[in-house]
Amino acid sequence: MHGQTKMHFACFIYICNDILFISRFENREEFKPVTMTKLFEDPPPKISHPAHPAHDLIQVTTGGTPFRCDGCMQPGAGAGYRCDLCHFDLHTCCALPPATIEHELFKGRTFEFLAKPPAPAEDTICDACGDGVHGFVYHSDDPDLDLHPCCAFLRKHFVEDSRLFELRKGATRRCGMCGKSGRRRKFWVYRTYYDDDEPVDLHVACIKNGHNSMSGAAAPDGGCQILLASSPPMEGVLQSVPRRTRQSSGFERFCKIVGVVMNVIIAVISGNPMAMIAAVAGPDGLLRG
């Protein structure tokens, strides 16, 4: 329209010093990070896998159709590997797992990738989210620790709109999502701070399961559903924070930032990289606000 300046925004998701940043810039020239690594390496288009020796698995890179990973038995969406003939699906991190990993929350511990948890397998829980482990797992013998593969690749830090979200081993207050401080307080949370330095904890387990409990939608395996990255911040989230915080002028913006980060975390857990982009640049993403 005559007389108006049309703005062009660029959205970048990048890793610098092992912190995942979600940023927007009015001009691409403004983006000059000192260090940048690829968020997702280029996986092969076709693989063979011992969990499904009958057929090759083909890389799926488009769409966000929910599935249950036949490796770790956790929900997935979008990117991964699939045998259409057998309806067999794997997260990318389950299809191409490093043999061993380390995690910042368990410094000095090495986790080994296993096709199933050590006996007694039926009692194994993920030390990140607290849910049961029923398939592929990263295991450490000393001490006895287990991580779902997708949980194992959660980053310790996210930065969104200059606000830090830090992964911690446990909560010290009620979860901003479920409003409770019960059993899940012993497992991983992301902590951030509101403008008045009020801490806000979000259980990783609640982020994983939140969309199912609030929408009533079930995943293909009857478990938790995938949180859609284009969804707005979910009703009821952050209602456990003090009333003075909820009534402050910046709280609506803060809710939107939390909603974006929740969707990015879900994108990591579900193995859907495009959901990260949608969380920021989609119809309900931060670029719209």
Side-chain angles (χ1 to χ4, degrees), residues 117-129:
E122 63 274 7
D123 298 327
T124 302
I125 61 171
C126 174
D127 288 284
C129 67

Side-chain angles (χ1 to χ4, degrees), residues 74-75 126 128-132 148 150-151 154 177 184 203-213 223-227 262 265-266 269-270:
Q74 292 286 296
C126 174
C129 67
D131 290 343
H148 291 129
C150 289
C151 291
L154 285 173
M177 190 164 182
R184 286 180 174 174
H203 295 144
V204 167
C206 289
I207 298 173
K208 286 176 63 177
N209 299 331
H211 185 67
N212 182 45
S213 62
C224 59
Q225 178 60 291
I226 303 302
L227 180 64
M262 286 169 57
I265 294 168
I266 284 293
I269 292 173
S270 66

Side-chain angles (χ1 to χ4, degrees), residues 163 176 194-195 200 237-258:
R163 198 177 298 271
Y194 189 59
D195 296 338
V200 177
V237 173
L238 302 181
Q239 292 306 299
S240 65
V241 303
R243 180 175 296 180
R244 70 178 187 279
T245 299
R246 287 186 277 117
Q247 293 177 343
S248 62
S249 59
F251 187 66
E252 183 177 353
R253 173 70 175 180
F254 179 69
C255 285
K256 189 160 191 174
I257 292 170
V258 170

Side-chain angles (χ1 to χ4, degrees), residues 65-216:
T65 304
F67 62 86
R68 186 192 71 170
C69 175
D70 290 291
C72 68
M73 306 301 172
Q74 292 286 296
Y81 283 85
R82 177 174 176 80
C83 172
D84 281 324
L85 185 63
C86 302
H87 303 288
F88 183 92
D89 295 277
L90 291 177
H91 295 122
T92 300
C93 66
C94 290
L96 304 170
T100 60
I101 63 167
E102 296 179 354
H103 197 282
E104 287 186 282
L105 291 191
F106 299 109
K107 289 187 180 296
R109 304 288 183 254
T110 299
F111 290 81
E112 180 185 4
F113 181 82
L114 301 176
K116 61 181 180 180
E122 63 274 7
D123 298 327
T124 302
I125 61 171
C126 174
D127 288 284
C129 67
D131 290 343
V133 174
H134 305 294
F136 292 176
V137 64
Y138 278 100
H139 175 75
S140 172
D141 284 324
D142 183 25
D144 184 15
L145 295 168
D146 297 280
L147 299 174
H148 291 129
C150 289
C151 291
F153 288 98
L154 285 173
R155 298 227 163 233
K156 189 176 180 181
H157 301 99
F158 287 93
V159 174
E160 162 58 38
D161 205 42
S162 300
R163 198 177 298 271
L164 177 67
F165 289 74
E166 181 183 20
L167 187 63
R168 298 186 173 206
K169 284 186 179 179
T172 59
R173 56 190 53 241
R174 291 189 300 162
C175 171
M177 190 164 182
C178 71
K180 299 177 182 179
S181 59
R183 172 181 173 273
R184 286 180 174 174
R185 75 182 186 279
K186 299 184 294 183
F187 299 99
W188 289 4
V189 301
Y190 274 99
R191 170 169 290 186
T192 190
Y193 292 86
Y194 189 59
D195 296 338
D196 61 359
D197 292 329
E198 177 69 29
V200 177
D201 286 349
L202 300 168
H203 295 144
V204 167
C206 289
I207 298 173
K208 286 176 63 177
N209 299 331
H211 185 67
N212 182 45
S213 62
M214 291 188 178
S215 69

